[in-house]
Amino acid sequence: MAVNTVATGLEERWRDILSVHARTMCEIDRVLHPHGLGASDFEVLDILATESPREGDQCRVQNLVGRVHLSQSALSRLIGRLEKDGLVERSMCVEDRRGVWVSLTRKGRGLHSAVLPLQREVLAKMLDA
């Protein structure tokens, strides 16, 4: 009987986490949509802004894979869209031809700075509740 209660408690906690995550992602999507971004787009821009704080700094795409909750192919497509929109630039790694570098453009940094307070406001509202 106790095992059932423990399992049920874990399942409920897990479902609560998933529910908060889904609601938060939807709200971030809603708030950022007028700026042409989704939650995953912002997440990549935010990680790049943190990992590469100065203009011209680069981050290996491989370093993003474990931090963004997307498959490697989905992340590659997302970066392609961000590049098409002029928010990031990609370049090949000279030392390892399989590696790809990505960096924020000036436009990407500006957009990130503009929407950062919106995303943080959503996080505060959704996670403090």
Side-chain angles (χ1 to χ4, degrees), residues 40-59:
S40 294
D41 303 325
F42 176 83
E43 202 60 35
V44 169
L45 295 180
D46 196 45
I47 291 169
L48 289 173
T50 302
E51 294 292 313
S52 310
R54 293 180 311 274
E55 192 170 326
D57 283 353
Q58 298 178 315
C59 179

Side-chain angles (χ1 to χ4, degrees), residues 8 21 30 36 39 43 47 52 72 78 80-82 87 89 106 114:
T8 301
H21 177 266
R30 186 189 68 73
E43 202 60 35
I47 291 169
S52 310
Q72 190 163 355
L78 186 149
R81 285 193 315 274
L82 294 175
L87 302 175
E89 293 177 336
R106 183 170 286 155

